Amino acid sequence: MFGLPGGGSSLDLIEAAAEVGIGFTLTKTENAAVMMAGALAETTGVPGVALMTKGPGVANAANGVTYAKLDRAPVIVITDGFTDKQLSYITHQVFDQKALLQPVVKGVTRLESDTPAAEIEAIILLACQAPLGPVHLELTGEVARRLIDPPQVATLASSTSVLDHVALQSLAQQIKLSKKPVLIVGLEARHCAAEVRQLAEHLKCPVLQTYKAKGVISDLDPQVVGIFTGGIQEADCLAHADLMFMVGLDPVEMILQPWLYNKPGVELSNATHDVHYIKPIARVSRDLKLHVLALNEQLSGYVSSWPVEQIALLRQDILTRLAYPPVQFGVAPDRLVQLSAQAYAEQKFRPRMSVDAGAHMFSATAFFPVTQAGDVLISNGLATMAFALPAAIAAALDEPAHPVICFTGDAGLMMCLGELCTAIDSGARIVVVVFNDSALSLIDIKQQSKQLPSRGVRWGRHDFAKAMQALGGQGFEATTEAQYYEALTQALKLQGPSLIDVQIDPSGYSQQLKAMRG
Ligand SMILES: Cc1ncc(C[n+]2csc(CCOP(=O)(O)OP(=O)(O)O)c2C)c(N)n1
């Protein structure tokens, strides 16, 4: 459980959780608490819990809850509330909390019925139905302290899976007819990675994965060509294909631009979405894992006709195009990320990363290979800043043996700087790597491309290494590749958190953006 308690139901909940062995991590903002609960849910598949006070606590959590909605994270958001009696005389901190969160939660409940255990069960099930997302539990102190008969043993009734034979057969048929399919893997596939890996092995075709799906099929696998965003970077690969085969892809994962590809598609997913870029010629929209398993059987004997060398060339070509141009000072973002991957390999750590919103994200997602599903934490659906640090902390606390590298811009870090204290207090094994370019670079390059004067997007240099040291953590500074590698090598040996402030020359970002999105 993550959160920032108030005086109502929060304290009772923390106490009750402790009694059954559920730990509580105190965060510095409610926004970060929901992000941490969501990040944990994204990596483990188990719903996360975030708790907070009423009024300002709820209002401050709204961005985090919106992340959980658009990034498909099942989170139980427990807020304090007012009783009807209190509402008859109190106006201080009062607003319609349920209405504030209503557009971004899948449901709300107050545990006021005679069967609160059933209410809890129903709300958790709702969070775990595709598309996964947050639910709101508004709990007054009075209701939290209510004594009830012990509930029957809660059994979360999972819905029974049913194979859609007809639709699956028509989908398999389309694949068998195609010579050069491309497998496009999306976020839902993180929870059936083994089955999707088997599928890729059958098809022997190029694989594109969304940011969140990176690692479903290991980036070290030669079939993995790169990232799928709906941008220009994957266009070459798709130009040579005759079928787009989308597995677990959620349209929320694609960038804000019209669909570029004039190719037929087939789709396997857990949920349908009212707004989508493409109308597949064959589709199954439920029980992804079951259908991937069944499809694997149907496809035995089928192999695509992609030459291995062509796949390798496509992969190399994307990396070449995304390379950062030469820098005038500091460290180039792509080199920074490549050196990070090298240090992980050298120390034999499983590569795990979180990344924030901003221009630094281009290199972080392209040049840091991961090998397991869930090892890239990124807010993509909402694409909110101030996500990478809380997400890294949650993932590190869950699996302390493998440090998490947190790639963040300086603005994104400043938006959640207090969470460095959470990392220090909780001993989270993370390395925060600050791409320090003293600018909102992603916005700066848009301003430049409009040929506007530089206004409102830059600031003086802040020293985040010293800030980390002042807070009681380990802070390093790097202005060269050698300094960075040395600092990271030391940082990865620590059992707790550290931060490396790296000087970045942002002049190459616009070229990289063009290579990615067109
Ligand atoms: C909460 C939030 N506010 C604003 C934005 C819009 N936005 C996206 S990236 C960005 C700039 C980020 O700057 P920084 O963290 O320094 O990263 P850089 O682009 O410099 O790599 C902004 C303002 C956002 N995505 N999320």
Side-chain angles (χ1 to χ4, degrees):
M1 249 167 41
F2 301 88
L4 206 162
S9 59
S10 311
L11 300 176
D12 300 290
L13 277 169
I14 294 173
E15 207 44 40
E19 272 176 31
V20 292
I22 298 175
F24 177 72
T25 299
L26 170 62
T27 62
K28 307 305 171 277
T29 66
E30 294 80 357
N31 179 33
V34 185
M35 289 174 173
M36 288 192 202
L40 201 56
E42 286 199 69
T43 48
T44 61
V46 178
V49 181
L51 74 78
M52 64 222 53
T53 189
K54 52 191 173 300
V58 180
N60 216 17
N63 184 62
V65 184
T66 312
Y67 140 74
K69 159 126 179 129
L70 290 178
D71 281 273
R72 314 304 189 212
V75 178
I76 323 295
V77 181
I78 309 181
T79 73
D80 202 356
F82 293 96
T83 61
D84 286 345
K85 192 164 164 228
Q86 288 174 321
L87 288 174
S88 68
Y89 64 94
I90 296 175
T91 50
H92 177 76
Q93 293 191 326
V94 171
F95 60 88
D96 188 343
Q97 303 183 159
K98 296 202 294 284
L100 181 80
L101 295 185
Q102 189 273 332
V104 288
V105 294
K106 298 178 74 182
V108 58
T109 196
R110 280 174 55 101
L111 303 192
E112 286 173 333
S113 75
D114 294 335
T115 52
E119 276 185 69
I120 292 174
E121 185 166 344
I123 204 83
I124 295 176
L125 274 177
L126 188 61
C128 296
Q129 274 160 17
L132 309 179
V135 291
H136 181 192
L137 215 162
E138 193 185 53
L139 193 65
T140 64
E142 193 173 279
V143 170
R145 284 186 287 273
R146 190 160 64 116
L147 287 180
I148 57 157
D149 291 333
Q152 306 292 320
V153 178
T155 47
L156 286 182
S158 57
S159 56
T160 40
S161 305
V162 182
L163 199 65
D164 187 338
H165 286 285
V166 178
L168 191 68
Q169 211 149 33
S170 117
L171 189 140
Q173 194 58 26
Q174 292 298 337
I175 294 172
K176 286 179 190 162
L177 284 173
S178 88
K179 291 198 164 36
K180 294 183 94 180
V182 168
L183 185 62
I184 301 172
V185 182
L187 63 86
E188 289 178 351
R190 290 174 299 179
H191 304 303
C192 51
E195 292 76 9
V196 176
R197 281 182 181 206
Q198 218 188 344
L199 187 60
E201 267 169 40
H202 277 309
L203 296 171
K204 306 233 178 319
C205 67
V207 174
L208 295 168
Q209 307 187 96
T210 61
Y211 295 131
K212 277 183 186 283
K214 240 173 101 77
V216 169
I217 296 168
S218 166
D219 281 326
L220 306 181
D221 186 321
Q223 277 180 254
V224 174
V225 164
I227 303 280
F228 183 80
T229 62
I232 200 86
Q233 61 173 319
E234 63 266 21
D236 224 19
C237 174
L238 291 166
H240 293 94
D242 59 7
L243 185 73
M244 299 173 71
F245 178 15
M246 297 163 283
V247 175
L249 185 73
D250 186 316
V252 80
E253 300 187 85
M254 284 161 248
I255 54 175
L256 318 133
Q257 63 187 36
W259 194 243
L260 296 174
Y261 317 109
N262 183 21
K263 293 276 151 145
V266 295
E267 180 175 61
L268 280 183
S269 64
N270 275 321
T272 43
H273 300 275
D274 296 340
V275 179
H276 205 312
Y277 291 82
I278 185 171
K279 273 209 163 47
I281 48 174
R283 148 191 278 174
V284 182
S285 309
R286 62 179 151 88
D287 301 316
L288 178 63
K289 186 174 182 164
L290 181 75
H291 286 92
V292 175
L293 258 174
L295 186 66
N296 279 333
E297 279 175 27
Q298 297 202 17
L299 289 181
S300 83
Y302 167 84
V303 181
S304 69
S305 46
W306 282 93
V308 177
E309 312 74 49
Q310 189 179 16
I311 300 177
L313 269 178
L314 287 167
R315 175 188 172 108
Q316 190 46 50
D317 189 46
I318 289 187
L319 291 177
T320 309
R321 274 186 286 127
L322 289 181
Y324 205 79
V327 289
Q328 304 302 313
F329 61 88
V331 184
D334 59 347
R335 287 293 300 144
L336 171 65
V337 177
Q338 283 163 340
L339 289 168
S340 310
Q342 198 180 315
Y344 263 73
E346 198 172 281
Q347 298 200 29
K348 299 197 168 39
F349 285 124
R350 190 177 102 220
R352 305 169 78 199
M353 70 172 237
S354 68
V355 59
D356 219 58
H360 62 281
M361 184 268 274
F362 310 152
S363 291
T365 51
F367 297 105
F368 193 81
V370 299
T371 55
Q372 287 189 25
D375 279 349
V376 171
L377 285 160
I378 179 170
S379 167
N380 182 21
L382 181 63
T384 177
M385 291 161 71
F387 172 77
L389 174 56
I393 295 171
L397 291 180
D398 185 47
E399 255 192 282
H402 297 277
V404 182
I405 193 161
C406 162
F407 295 119
T408 177
D410 40 350
L413 176 65
M414 287 191 276
M415 232 184 236
C416 59
L417 204 65
E419 301 310 330
L420 287 176
C421 301
T422 310
I424 293 166
D425 294 340
S426 61
R429 200 167 174 194
I430 61 171
V431 184
V432 181
V433 176
V434 191
F435 288 62
N436 193 346
D437 53 13
S438 307
L440 300 170
S441 283
L442 190 61
I443 313 304
D444 193 1
I445 56 182
K446 290 176 186 171
Q447 192 176 55
Q448 287 173 41
S449 74
K450 290 184 173 166
Q451 276 143 25
L452 290 166
S454 178
R455 255 193 256 284
V457 294
R458 296 186 190 179
W459 51 85
R461 193 164 197 286
H462 300 298
D463 187 336
F464 296 103
K466 281 220 178 72
M468 182 65 167
Q469 289 161 7
L471 295 172
Q474 297 277 339
F476 304 87
E477 204 181 335
T479 55
T480 65
E481 289 186 16
Q483 280 172 359
Y484 175 67
Y485 198 77
E486 169 61 26
L488 182 57
T489 302
Q490 279 190 52
L492 284 173
K493 294 200 169 106
L494 301 171
Q495 294 300 314
S498 57
L499 180 149
I500 311 175
D501 178 323
V502 191
Q503 190 172 34
I504 295 292
D505 171 0
S507 60
Y509 279 136
S510 48
Q511 183 178 318
Q512 235 184 356
L513 180 68
K514 220 168 165 33
M516 284 177 83
R517 300 193 182 163

